[in-house]
Amino acid sequence: MPSQSSEQTSEDSRALQLLRDVFGHADFRDAQAQIVAHVATGGDALVLMPTGGGKSLCYQVPALLRDGTGVVVSPLIALMQDQVAAMQQLGVRAAFLNSTLDAQEAAKVERALVDGELDLLYVAPERLTMARCLDLLERAQIALFAIDEAHCVSQWGHDFRPEYLELSLLHERFADVPRIALTATADPQTRAEIIPRLALEEAQVFVSSFDRPNIRYTIVDKIDARAQLLRFLKEEHAGDAGIVYCLSRRKTEETAWWLQSQGIEALWYHAGMDAATRAEHQARFQREDGIVVVATIAFGMGIDKPDVRFVAHLDLPKSIEAYYQETGRAGRDGSPADAWMTYGLSDVVQQRRFIDQSDASDEFKRVSTAKLDALLGLCETAACRRVRLLSYFGEHSEPCGNCDTCLEPPQTWDATDASRKALSAIYRTGQRFGSMHVIDVLRGKTGERIARWGHHKLNVFGAGAELAEQAWRNVFRQLIALGFVQVDHGSHGALRLTESSRPVLKGEQQVQMRPVVKSGRKPKTASRTPDEVDLSPADTDLLERLKEWRRNEASSQGVPAYVILHNSSLTEIARARPLDVEALAAIGGIGAMKLERYGEAVIGLVAEDRADKATGSTP
Ligand code: ADP
Ligand code: ZN
């Protein structure tokens, strides 16, 4: 009789074999192997892994290893069809049950389930918890339950789904079936809520690092946001798919129209659109190459596109959690991606005003203020952004070399004198004016308003003429972000001194500040993962050929392009130029079924490209 450990080993090698044959990946990543082994042998698991970390394999592989059907609960109905299509491309028997199916189609899926003909079944939570569906599951053999987007049980998060609260009944009705809950939500409060709500007290918890090393963080001073965005898009992301976040619905539309007028394929997305247009914009982003969506945060959880190359923020989010979640939609495929934000004085004032003017309780306002302050700290830091970001989530790290402050360390300047002048100008003008007016006073600008208040007679009038207006705005933003000055929204954004400004005014405390950073341009060299940018011109030609073939294939099958083959696979092919099946099988993401379906076509394209190059003709 084999010992426990050798049984374990043979189970592990079965899992690895499956990973290679079906998914075409050489090895498990990080904790994947442990998670798969734990669930495949019947254990419950809670998996906390960042977006792009590879959560899907953690339930897909055990579902294939165990007898019966793996049931995947997901709130993302719009994505189920694509997820199922991706599985079918791999030769996995997958189906979904949700409200988009008519009665006849649903009955067919249900029959296949009961007859044991499905490896994976994706189900919407509201459907799963209906008595009829539970009875159906009892007549089938269930390999496991995977509860995706498990943070939807949290009543405090903005993805709350009441149906998720009922999922604890799976534990009661199917006590022997292992359950695996997964989420990319990094904040500890939400994590703590998931366990009791899903009755996962016995589950093993797997926490991965929340670092996303392929994402480069950049935060630039807002000078002319549109022009800065356009430069970023044209110089660094021409032809790439990406998301631009704005606060207001109107701004998303205006920005998208403007980008279109500048020759960029941009669409808008917000909760106020009619359902059909909204779905169309989301589908085009998901399925086509190189679409830019300008969106409010309503564009969120339903995005499952692996090759989003950038997430840009034209307005400041409200917390680090929100910033991390939004930027996390970039680079799921592991290739280099940018998280880019313009940030200025108006952002700080605006977010503070939202908090002050909301009807929420004082407690809620206090928490919101603390969260905003943490984000402002990230924006103002002269040290590594990633270190700061991760430490907010309780993770220690070293300077990353892949954020703006690591790549171009800002030379901070001694702003003690400027700060004293600014604080004193606020004080002398009676703490009744906004930053524009106070800056005019400092710069000695004459005019009707200044004269009316007699501010040209003050000592501070013209005391700050040595700094340009933009530099002063920069100083005021940091004074507010650092807590020396507060904005009184009850009286039109008047600036007031805080208790902590006293030592600065008295000259007892030094103040270091970041200078105005105009461009945020950075060398493109620090990419850590192989990417298209590293391809030679000849390889880029071949990549274009492959993409065109993929486009045709995807549209004739009615699936997104990445479901056929990922960009990373195409890039590897363009570089390695496989001319036989064995060489092609060595490419990441090409398993047995993809080889069978597309091997001939891909090898044909590589050979054709070689022949064209030899005869000197261009494609
Ligand atoms: P998540 O759901 O955690 O956001 P996914 O499951 O969608 O992440 O995986 C992200 C990407 O990483 C996908 O493109 C997937 O093919 C790839 N991936 C996952 N695991 C591996 C692995 N072990 N080897 C290579 N690629 C992997
Ligand atoms: Zn860094």
Side-chain angles (χ1 to χ4, degrees):
M1 204 180 138
S3 73
Q4 181 73 35
S5 72
S6 73
E7 249 175 61
Q8 187 67 52
T9 317
S10 83
E11 187 75 11
D12 287 354
S13 66
R14 264 183 73 210
L16 194 59
Q17 202 57 46
L18 223 149
L19 179 77
R20 290 176 181 164
D21 291 349
V22 176
F23 295 88
H25 298 318
D27 271 302
F28 284 112
R29 272 188 199 156
D30 307 320
Q32 277 177 337
Q34 284 164 274
I35 299 166
V36 165
H38 182 73
V39 177
T41 51
D44 289 346
L46 171 59
V47 173
L48 308 163
M49 210 184 254
T51 305
K55 284 184 286 300
S56 332
L57 280 180
C58 298
Y59 58 81
Q60 288 161 348
V61 174
L64 293 174
L65 286 170
R66 291 175 63 85
D67 291 337
T69 307
V71 175
V72 186
V73 187
S74 163
L76 308 174
I77 291 180
L79 293 182
M80 282 184 187
Q81 196 177 353
D82 291 346
Q83 287 171 324
V84 165
M87 284 299 102
Q88 289 172 343
Q89 291 280 327
L90 301 175
V92 174
R93 299 172 303 168
F96 64 86
L97 273 179
N98 64 35
S99 51
T100 66
L101 296 183
D102 64 33
Q104 213 174 351
E105 291 166 322
K108 213 172 127 196
V109 171
E110 291 175 356
R111 207 167 322 118
L113 171 71
V114 175
D115 291 348
E117 286 163 4
L118 290 178
D119 300 312
L120 278 173
L121 176 66
Y122 291 78
V123 190
E126 58 276 12
R127 184 156 193 136
L128 180 82
T129 48
M130 290 188 322
R132 205 179 149 274
C133 190
L134 292 168
D135 291 344
L136 179 77
L137 293 178
E138 257 165 17
R139 284 187 282 133
Q141 183 169 16
I142 307 299
L144 57 84
F145 288 106
I147 302 168
D148 207 0
E149 313 290 350
H151 61 280
C152 290
V153 292
S154 165
Q155 273 160 321
W156 307 112
H158 48 68
D159 294 328
F160 176 55
R161 304 285 169 121
E163 314 86 66
Y164 260 64
L165 293 176
E166 291 176 40
L167 292 176
S168 62
L169 64 76
L170 293 177
H171 179 49
E172 292 149 30
R173 291 265 307 243
F174 304 90
D176 298 334
V177 179
R179 292 170 306 144
I180 168 171
L182 313 98
T183 179
T185 298
D187 68 293
Q189 207 179 331
T190 308
R191 294 179 187 177
E193 253 183 284
I194 293 174
I195 294 174
R197 287 185 193 270
L198 291 179
L200 283 170
E201 284 85 356
E202 307 284 306
Q204 187 165 338
V205 182
F206 296 88
V207 187
S208 299
S209 164
F210 271 73
D211 186 19
R212 301 286 309 279
N214 60 314
I215 297 183
R216 175 176 297 176
Y217 299 98
T218 303
I219 301 176
V220 301
D221 283 306
K222 193 176 277 185
I223 296 167
D224 177 350
R226 274 190 176 179
Q228 289 171 299
L229 174 68
L230 187 65
R231 197 168 346 110
F232 170 71
L233 294 181
K234 292 214 152 156
E235 290 177 4
E236 314 212 5
H237 288 287
D240 285 346
I243 307 169
V244 178
Y245 280 112
C246 302
L247 273 179
S248 77
R249 295 171 178 183
R250 209 180 72 189
K251 189 167 170 183
T252 65
E253 298 196 15
E254 288 172 355
T255 308
W257 283 111
W258 181 77
L259 287 175
Q260 284 178 9
S261 76
Q262 301 297 315
I264 288 174
E265 273 209 76
L267 300 172
W268 61 94
Y269 188 103
H270 58 72
M273 297 159 66
D274 68 273
T277 317
R278 202 169 63 194
E280 185 205 316
H281 287 189
Q282 164 142 14
R284 285 195 55 197
F285 176 73
Q286 188 80 18
R287 286 165 174 248
E288 292 176 26
D289 277 336
I291 302 262
V292 174
V293 171
V294 187
T296 63
I297 52 167
F299 194 54
M301 207 170 45
I303 308 163
D304 192 25
K305 196 175 167 61
D307 53 356
V308 176
R309 291 273 69 82
F310 66 87
V311 169
H313 280 92
L314 288 185
D315 295 305
L316 188 70
K318 62 182 182 359
S319 64
I320 289 189
E321 287 94 332
Y323 174 76
Y324 179 83
Q325 199 171 48
E326 284 151 30
T327 55
R329 294 173 183 134
R332 286 177 84 128
D333 54 9
S335 293
D338 272 300
W340 181 92
M341 175 156 80
T342 64
Y343 152 80
L345 175 58
S346 57
D347 288 297
V348 186
V349 172
Q350 185 175 43
Q351 285 294 351
R352 287 262 152 89
R353 190 176 60 227
F354 285 153
I355 297 173
D356 288 348
Q357 294 182 343
S358 85
D359 300 327
S361 66
D362 285 350
E363 166 67 3
F364 188 85
K365 286 185 181 180
R366 201 183 54 72
V367 173
S368 303
T369 303
K371 285 183 186 270
L372 177 60
D373 285 344
L375 180 61
L376 295 179
L378 176 72
C379 295
E380 300 293 353
T381 186
C384 174
R385 306 262 190 217
R386 194 180 311 271
V387 166
R388 188 101 188 195
L389 193 60
L390 291 174
S391 83
Y392 182 78
F393 297 121
E395 214 175 305
H396 175 79
S397 63
E398 298 296 326
C400 71
N402 195 30
C403 72
D404 55 351
T405 56
C406 280
L407 291 167
E408 279 181 73
Q411 303 297 317
T412 55
W413 60 292
D414 183 349
T416 311
D417 188 49
S419 300
R420 282 180 71 185
K421 285 178 183 168
L423 294 171
S424 131
I426 292 168
Y427 186 72
R428 295 287 164 205
T429 52
Q431 311 194 61
R432 297 162 63 179
F433 296 88
S435 57
M436 294 250 275
H437 184 83
V438 182
I439 290 173
D440 283 351
V441 171
L442 281 162
R443 302 201 64 234
K445 209 164 150 186
T446 50
E448 190 266 327
R449 234 174 106 87
I450 299 280
R452 175 151 40 105
W453 293 97
H455 287 164
H456 55 292
K457 295 182 204 143
L458 295 173
N459 270 347
V460 289
F461 184 75
E466 73 280 8
L467 291 185
E469 181 175 329
Q470 181 65 41
W472 275 118
R473 292 180 68 79
N474 191 42
V475 169
F476 275 81
R477 185 195 77 220
Q478 294 185 62
L479 286 173
I480 297 169
L482 295 166
F484 296 124
V485 172
Q486 69 186 35
V487 185
D488 184 349
H489 298 294
S491 67
H492 311 289
L495 302 181
R496 293 187 199 287
L497 305 188
T498 65
E499 203 45 43
S500 51
S501 70
R502 204 182 293 254
V504 179
L505 258 179
K506 286 199 200 145
E508 295 163 5
Q509 187 181 334
Q510 304 277 94
V511 184
Q512 291 290 318
M513 284 190 181
R514 288 173 65 103
V516 178
V517 180
K518 278 226 170 61
S519 65
R521 289 277 300 128
K522 61 246 163 166
K524 272 214 127 180
T525 47
S527 326
R528 290 175 175 182
T529 36
D531 188 48
E532 301 175 12
V533 290
D534 303 329
L535 290 181
S536 71
D539 294 349
T540 307
D541 269 2
L542 174 54
L543 181 64
E544 287 311 314
R545 248 179 224 251
L546 291 162
K547 281 192 174 169
E548 194 188 316
W549 162 80
R550 181 178 66 171
R551 211 165 17 247
N552 291 332
E553 196 63 48
S555 81
S556 77
Q557 293 190 42
V559 296
Y562 65 83
V563 166
I564 305 291
L565 283 175
H566 277 191
N567 278 355
S568 54
S569 301
L570 292 191
T571 309
E572 247 188 274
I573 293 168
R575 191 178 291 117
R577 300 180 165 258
L579 284 167
D580 56 46
V581 174
E582 244 157 58
L584 185 59
I587 303 283
I590 301 199
M593 188 55 83
K594 296 239 160 135
L595 211 54
E596 190 182 313
R597 285 192 178 199
Y598 308 124
E600 205 176 318
V602 169
I603 290 168
L605 286 168
V606 174
E608 194 181 295
D609 186 78
R610 191 165 78 153
D612 286 350
K613 294 256 153 53
T615 59
S617 69
T618 42

